[in-house]
Amino acid sequence: MSEPEIRETRAENLRETAWLSVAALVVFIVLLLSVLADVGGRVGHMVVTRENWLDVLNAFLVALLVNLPTLILLGVLTDFSDLFKRTGEGEVFTQRNLRTLRNAGSGLIWAAAASALIVPNVLRWIELKGGGGFLWQANDLALGVAAMGIAILGLSHVFAEGIRIKTESDQIV
Amino acid sequence: MANEIIVTLDVMLARRKMRAKDLAAAVGITEANLSLLKSGKVKGVRFDTLAKLCEVLDCKPGDLLDFGPAP
């Protein structure tokens, strides 16, 4: 079997992963709309004037901060979408896919950290104007997302081994 | 010096007066891979690639591979 034929067969076998790319994009759009609706709900009713523009800006930044975990998840979904698009085209064990997988894994961990640590502590800090102790709001969902991120980072090590085996296999003509 | 597998594909190509580009196309591998094979810079040859090479060049595997000290 020639190389283009091998790639085409691989693409054929992994064609359904291209659908996962579309699914990731759909979830991306739903989450994006959810973030926009939330930010709009928090800031949309405010009328910007010369006197209150700083308050509006503050409210907007706080709204973004509250949605930080979801914004990070949007990046993770983009990574998954790109990854599945490429695998659907027959590009599987490549350094680019490994980087994307690692980005997605660390993104999930960052999203969980943002949800459990960063957002509650920064919000409290803003509320108390600099004071306050340390908050740890790890709910089941945040822990689950962090666990998935760790699992994906673990899988990326397996993926790296797959790339090494493929490189070796490519040296056999 | 240790003995190793020596690829003598270039000799057979010259005997058959065939261009590497045409051989690569007939066998279904890239010119780059054929070049690596000719220079012995590959880790192995698949049986089906070897079979196609033999078929196109009308020869036996022993005509393409030798065993001896590195040139």
Side-chain angles (χ1 to χ4, degrees):
Chain A
M1 198 183 277
S2 67
E3 281 167 34
E5 283 171 341
I6 291 171
R7 192 181 168 110
E8 186 50 42
T9 307
R10 200 182 296 142
E12 192 62 44
N13 292 339
L14 294 167
R15 192 80 73 201
E16 61 270 24
T17 63
W19 287 106
L20 287 175
S21 167
V22 177
L25 269 182
V26 170
V27 179
F28 175 92
I29 291 166
V30 170
L31 283 184
L32 183 64
L33 289 175
S34 159
V35 169
L36 290 175
D38 188 72
V39 173
R42 288 168 192 269
V43 188
H45 64 281
M46 300 174 92
V47 181
V48 185
T49 60
R50 194 168 286 184
E51 291 78 36
N52 78 342
W53 70 270
L54 201 58
D55 293 334
V56 176
L57 181 66
N58 278 340
F60 178 71
L61 291 176
V62 167
L64 282 184
L65 178 68
V66 169
N67 284 285
L68 183 65
T70 316
L71 289 171
I72 296 172
L73 285 180
L74 288 177
V76 172
L77 284 166
T78 311
D79 285 336
F80 278 129
S81 178
D82 289 345
L83 180 72
F84 289 132
K85 182 173 176 281
R86 289 198 292 266
T87 55
E89 289 166 354
E91 181 191 326
V92 185
F93 289 109
T94 61
Q95 289 294 338
R96 187 158 65 152
N97 282 352
L98 177 62
R99 273 197 304 275
T100 308
L101 199 61
R102 281 182 178 155
N103 281 345
S106 55
L108 285 172
I109 293 170
W110 274 110
S115 169
L117 276 172
I118 300 168
V119 174
N121 281 293
V122 175
L123 282 179
R124 186 184 167 110
W125 184 78
I126 293 168
E127 210 171 288
L128 300 176
K129 300 198 185 313
F134 179 76
L135 279 179
W136 169 250
Q137 289 183 355
N139 55 24
D140 291 350
L141 192 65
L143 287 174
V145 168
M148 280 202 296
I150 292 166
I152 286 173
L153 283 182
L155 278 176
S156 75
H157 286 283
V158 179
F159 201 86
E161 183 61 13
I163 291 173
R164 194 192 63 73
I165 293 168
K166 184 189 175 291
T167 307
E168 211 171 87
S169 162
D170 285 347
Q171 288 174 318
I172 299 172
V173 294
Chain B
M1 190 184 284
N3 288 338
E4 61 179 53
I5 298 290
I6 301 157
V7 181
T8 55
L9 182 61
D10 47 353
V11 176
M12 191 50 69
L13 267 173
R15 276 192 198 159
R16 298 287 183 258
K17 294 188 174 66
M18 195 173 188
R19 289 188 305 168
K21 187 181 174 182
D22 298 331
L23 179 64
V27 172
I29 59 174
T30 61
E31 279 185 75
N33 273 348
L34 188 69
S35 173
L36 288 172
L37 178 60
K38 275 201 302 176
S39 57
K41 289 176 185 165
V42 290
K43 285 202 171 176
V45 189
R46 289 191 184 90
F47 281 157
D48 60 345
T49 309
L50 192 58
K52 277 182 193 165
L53 284 169
C54 290
E55 195 181 322
V56 174
L57 293 169
D58 189 24
C59 64
K60 297 201 170 190
D63 299 325
L64 302 175
L65 303 171
D66 197 3
F67 182 65

